[in-house]
């Protein structure tokens, strides 16, 4: 990981703090593409991934915006409460699990809440390329909208629309109208809370959008109830033959860690893909929001931070 300096931090909306990160000597940073994120070590043992929201043409700074979660597990709270300008953070190189198709005839961008971060980066890139796009940003209220001033001024004026839940009905997001009559060369990108993403994707599908034109990235998984009879199972490490028992209330990553097997994790909710692990045999119980339906059906990988097993044993390709 790189050691970067926090050169600027400020509140840009209710509960949202912006952080500008640069190398201490001001040298160029590894390049990134629209939709990319970086992993940030925010405290001992806590690594979180945050989308880059500045334009990919910039090489000397990374910009992230962090929502202070009410039920923070330590990541957002540490950044909001402890990190100040001049502090240094360990930051991993950019990684893109939400890439932008820069050749699309038209691009529709949807952001819900803090989901604006990768979407803004995509919009900045499309502006640079001169590609046609429209950005629709929904939030509970205007004071919760990060980057509102940027999106309501040129060159975004006329390309970006802001919708608030507390506004009159005619000023709220009407996804059905916006997604009607999809063009064959159009692509859709959506990021935000899981219910918002589901609403946009379900509406698009009902309006005739092809599945391969729909792209999404989750920031957090919705609460999921465990099956009524959720028993224990075993995981085997193929390279060593080590077998670990995973208890009914235990995560796979915790069972492995207890036996000295560390798996790199970030979100710990099955949304980022950092911990995806290959499977040699066994049937996983997929509980993530990262893998596609086709990847789940293949049953050759799973997310050990949240997923479990339907078979008595999973043999992991570790």
């Amino acid at each position: 990981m790189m050691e970067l300096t926090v050169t600027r931090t400020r509140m840009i909306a209710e509960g949202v703090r912006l952080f500008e990160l640069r190398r201490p000597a001001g040298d160029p940073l590894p390049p990134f593409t629209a939709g990319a994120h970086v992993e940030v070590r925010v405290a001992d043992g806590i690594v979180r991934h945050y989308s880059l929201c500045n334009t990919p043409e910039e090489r000397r700074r990374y910009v992230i915006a962090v929502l202070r979660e009410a039920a923070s597990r330590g990541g957002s709270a540490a950044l909001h409460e402890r990190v100040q300008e001049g502090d240094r953070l360990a930051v991993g190189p950019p990684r893109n699990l939400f890439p932008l198709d820069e050749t699309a005839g038209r691009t529709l961008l949807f952001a819900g809440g803090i989901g604006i971060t990768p979407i803004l980066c995509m919009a900045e890139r499309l502006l640079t390329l001169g590609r046609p796009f429209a950005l629709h940003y929904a939030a509970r209220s205007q004071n919760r909208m990060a980057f509102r001033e940027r999106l309501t001024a040129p060159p975004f004026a006329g390309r970006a629309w802001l919708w608030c839940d507390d506004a009159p009905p005619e000023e709220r997001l009407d996804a059905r109208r916006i997604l009607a009559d999809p063009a064959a060369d159009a692509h859709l990108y959506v990021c935000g809370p899981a219910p918002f993403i589901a609403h946009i994707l379900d509406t698009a599908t009902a309006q005739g959008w092809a599945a391969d034109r729909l792209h999404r990235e989750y920031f957090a998984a919705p609460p999921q109830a465990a099956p009524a009879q959720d028993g224990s199972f075993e995981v085997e490490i193929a390279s060593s033959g080590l077998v670990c028992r995973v208890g009914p209330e235990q995560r796979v990553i915790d069972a492995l860690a207890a036996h000295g097997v560390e798996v790199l994790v970030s979100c710990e909710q099955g949304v980022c893909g950092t911990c995806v692990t290959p499977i040699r045999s066994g049937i996983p119980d997929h509980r993530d929001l990262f893998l596609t339906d086709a990847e789940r059906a293949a049953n050759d990988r799973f997310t050990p931070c949240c997923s479990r097993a339907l078979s008595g044993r999973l043999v992991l390709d570790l």
Side-chain angles (χ1 to χ4, degrees), residues 37-316:
H37 70 271
V38 292
E39 293 186 341
V40 180
R41 184 177 295 129
V42 297
D44 291 340
I46 299 177
V47 176
R48 296 289 182 262
H49 75 282
Y50 297 105
S51 296
L52 294 169
C53 47
N54 53 314
T55 176
E57 280 63 46
E58 293 184 327
R59 291 294 310 277
R60 296 185 182 276
R61 67 170 188 162
Y62 293 153
V63 178
I64 61 174
V66 180
L67 173 66
R68 173 60 161 95
E69 298 283 356
S72 173
R73 293 173 294 123
S76 66
L79 283 172
H80 272 252
E81 298 169 7
R82 304 177 196 169
V83 176
Q84 301 176 358
E85 292 182 3
D87 289 349
R88 294 190 178 183
L89 294 173
V91 180
R95 182 183 181 199
N96 201 336
L97 303 174
F98 190 39
L100 173 68
D101 184 342
E102 299 180 350
T103 67
R106 181 169 174 77
T107 303
L108 282 181
L109 305 172
F110 288 87
I114 196 60
I116 187 60
T117 50
I119 296 299
L120 177 60
C121 183
M122 290 180 174
E124 296 279 11
R125 177 60 177 164
L126 292 169
L127 273 175
T128 299
L129 295 174
R131 307 294 296 181
F133 73 93
L135 190 160
H136 296 274
Y137 182 16
R140 294 180 184 176
S141 58
Q142 284 193 3
N143 64 329
R144 292 174 178 264
M145 286 185 155
F147 307 106
R148 183 164 63 91
E149 293 80 6
R150 170 75 171 142
L151 293 171
T152 54
F156 282 111
R159 294 183 174 97
W161 286 264
L162 279 56
W163 312 98
C164 296
D165 293 346
D166 61 358
E170 65 273 11
E171 297 178 20
R172 300 175 194 170
L173 178 66
D174 184 353
R176 183 177 179 182
R177 175 186 60 80
I178 295 168
L179 294 170
D181 301 320
D185 59 353
H187 280 253
L188 181 155
Y189 296 82
V190 57
C191 185
F196 176 80
I197 293 177
H199 172 63
I200 297 300
L201 296 182
D202 289 348
T203 303
T205 300
Q207 296 289 71
W209 284 73
D212 63 353
R213 305 282 174 158
L214 305 178
H215 314 275
R216 83 287 184 269
E217 183 172 62
Y218 293 92
F219 276 164
Q224 297 184 23
Q229 297 179 347
D230 190 12
S232 63
F233 59 95
E234 296 177 337
V235 291
E236 177 182 342
I237 307 303
S239 62
S240 65
L242 173 69
V243 176
C244 308
R245 179 184 178 277
V246 182
E249 304 298 329
Q250 189 177 29
R251 300 182 302 175
V252 174
I253 56 172
D254 295 330
L256 292 174
H259 288 79
V261 180
E262 298 293 337
V263 176
L264 182 64
V265 296
S266 179
C267 73
E268 300 184 39
Q269 299 181 75
V271 300
C272 73
T274 299
C275 70
V276 170
T277 301
I279 296 173
R280 289 196 179 182
S281 65
I283 303 174
D285 177 10
H286 296 291
R287 302 186 182 185
D288 66 281
L289 289 171
F290 175 77
L291 298 176
T292 65
D293 290 342
E295 289 170 334
R296 291 185 180 188
N299 284 332
D300 60 358
R301 69 194 75 178
F302 85 135
T303 51
C305 70
C306 64
S307 297
R308 297 183 63 78
L310 297 176
S311 55
R313 177 178 293 191
L314 295 177
V315 180
L316 308 183

